[in-house]
Amino acid sequence: LARNDDSDTNLPPLAIDLRLGSLWFSTGLPLQNANARLIFDGKLWRTVDLAGSFGDKRNVSLKVATAGTTRTLSFESSDAGAALRALNIADTVNGGRMLLALTRDASKDDTPWRGNFAMRDINVVKAPILARTLALASFTGITNALAGKGIEFASVDGPLGFKDRMARIANPRAA
């Protein structure tokens, strides 16, 4: 999604429309009924619009748009856990919904993406011992611990930055 930094690659401007039965990720989880629209202006992928599902009613979409010098990126999934597993980000989240909204200045190559993320109604399994201990402070936490269900969160959100393939979450909130 960044500028075409590889001087050996000179792609012409192009527009791509795809409709795929399955789009497989390296993690082995397919995106089914995938639809994509990509527009490359010769230097920058100006538009990326990808949508599909991880099975029944577990929709996911990625949108990147450019207007002037502002780029926006949004990622939305009705199954946060499946999306995080498919992207090989985390295998400890089950269920929930996720929304990521970022912007950046497209006129400068080194400008980071900045925005917010939000997850709702997620369950975290295989949590670190400190997190599991803190979860015992609530009645629900005790019940879930005894049943081996993990830690449930009604919401997790906060500011997010992304630069040089590194994400930075500062001061997240969880309830």
Side-chain angles (χ1 to χ4, degrees):
L1 300 178
R3 293 190 184 278
N4 183 9
D5 294 329
D6 185 355
S7 59
D8 294 336
T9 304
N10 293 315
L11 288 176
L14 54 98
I16 301 171
D17 283 306
L18 296 171
R19 288 178 191 19
L20 304 169
S22 296
L23 176 62
W24 289 85
F25 292 89
S26 63
T27 56
L29 188 60
L31 182 65
Q32 299 170 342
N33 301 314
N35 293 304
R37 176 149 178 84
L38 306 122
I39 299 174
F40 184 68
D41 68 6
K43 295 180 182 177
L44 184 71
W45 290 98
R46 299 196 69 74
T47 301
V48 174
D49 192 350
L50 172 67
S53 66
F54 295 116
D56 293 340
K57 299 182 183 178
R58 298 186 302 164
N59 299 323
V60 64
S61 71
L62 169 70
K63 296 178 188 287
V64 177
T66 307
T69 61
T70 301
R71 299 204 60 187
T72 59
L73 181 148
S74 67
F75 180 83
E76 192 168 354
S77 176
S78 61
D79 188 333
L84 293 171
R85 279 189 301 283
L87 297 171
N88 206 23
I89 294 172
D91 63 355
T92 57
V93 176
N94 289 330
R97 297 177 316 277
M98 178 171 56
L99 174 63
L100 193 94
L102 304 168
T103 60
R104 74 179 289 268
D105 182 349
S107 68
K108 301 173 186 164
D109 286 338
D110 62 345
T111 304
W113 289 94
R114 295 187 193 281
N116 294 291
F117 78 96
M119 291 189 283
R120 302 288 180 257
D121 303 319
I122 63 169
N123 184 286
V124 177
V125 295
K126 299 184 248 173
I129 191 70
L130 177 60
R132 286 183 282 183
T133 303
L134 292 173
L136 294 174
S138 72
F139 178 72
T140 305
I142 293 170
T143 305
N144 288 343
L146 292 173
K149 291 184 178 179
I151 303 171
E152 293 181 357
F153 291 95
S155 67
V156 177
D157 56 63
L160 174 68
F162 190 80
K163 183 177 179 182
D164 298 329
R165 297 183 179 199
M166 182 69 74
R168 180 168 184 233
I169 298 172
N171 303 316
R173 296 168 298 279

